[in-house]
Amino acid sequence: MNQRLIAKTLLTAAAALVFWGCSTSATNAPSLNPTTGQHPATWQSSHWKDYLMNPDSCKPCHGSTTDKTQAGGTSKVSCFGCHHPDGPHHPADWAQASQHGRLGAQPKDNGLTGLLRTSFVACTRCHGDQYTNPVGITPACTACHTTAPHPAKPWVSGVSPSNPNHDRTDPSNAAECAKCHALGAHSSITPKPPAAAGTTPGCFNGTLCHTTNL
């Protein structure tokens, strides 16, 4: 066997070992192609769920997901390359009501993807369609909001200039509100008259609590 063939064989084996080590140490990660070292073609659109199920599985290949200076791992592909500036996590002050409530859940859906997307429906991908059945390490909304995925009273008062108030919620979120408040459920206000069955949820059409814009 000539030296060139031996060298090529050894390089191929070494590359395979690197990728094999990366995929096997990340036990919950999908298998990597031993030739290209790439994830499946659909990985970009689905990797968020696998990350939430086992964040540590990404670290051998991609490094830290919280410290940009330690990111990249053996693949030299950092999570911060796409998820910037905070990586695959919400900003440090996200727990503040003015952030995840007023700026995150309440606005109109902006049509973006991942952590940049707004509206109540954007929260459901990680926190669950009922806000109580989150994916992986994601907390349920009810871990803090013990009765609903929004503050208790004075949620309905509209007195705060910065914190969430239900009157500041964009009407495009009505379908999410209907999951708990259809025809005035869990509310002291019921629509009179109630909307006909099958009516698209709206804030002022009798499908939730109100029949007119107050």
Side-chain angles (χ1 to χ4, degrees), residues 96-99 101-103 106 159-165 168:
Q96 296 180 16
S98 61
Q99 295 297 311
R102 177 62 66 82
L103 300 180
Q106 289 191 260
V159 297
S160 173
S162 59
N163 287 343
N165 300 304
R168 305 288 181 89

Side-chain angles (χ1 to χ4, degrees), residues 128-143:
D129 58 357
Q130 298 298 318
Y131 305 96
T132 59
N133 52 327
V135 177
I137 63 169
T138 309
C141 296
T142 49

Side-chain angles (χ1 to χ4, degrees), residues 96-122:
Q96 296 180 16
S98 61
Q99 295 297 311
H100 77 280
R102 177 62 66 82
L103 300 180
Q106 289 191 260
K108 182 178 181 180
D109 195 330
N110 58 15
L112 298 178
T113 59
L115 300 181
L116 297 177
R117 188 179 179 188
T118 57
S119 77
F120 266 115
V121 72

Side-chain angles (χ1 to χ4, degrees), residues 123 131 203:
C123 305
Y131 305 96
C203 294

Side-chain angles (χ1 to χ4, degrees), residues 165-203:
N165 300 304
H166 101 288
D167 65 328
R168 305 288 181 89
T169 302
D170 191 274
S172 64
N173 291 289
E176 292 303 305
C177 302
K179 291 178 178 179
C180 295
H181 298 293
L183 301 180
H186 304 103
S187 170
S188 60
I189 302 173
T190 56
K192 294 180 175 55
T199 303
T200 300
C203 294

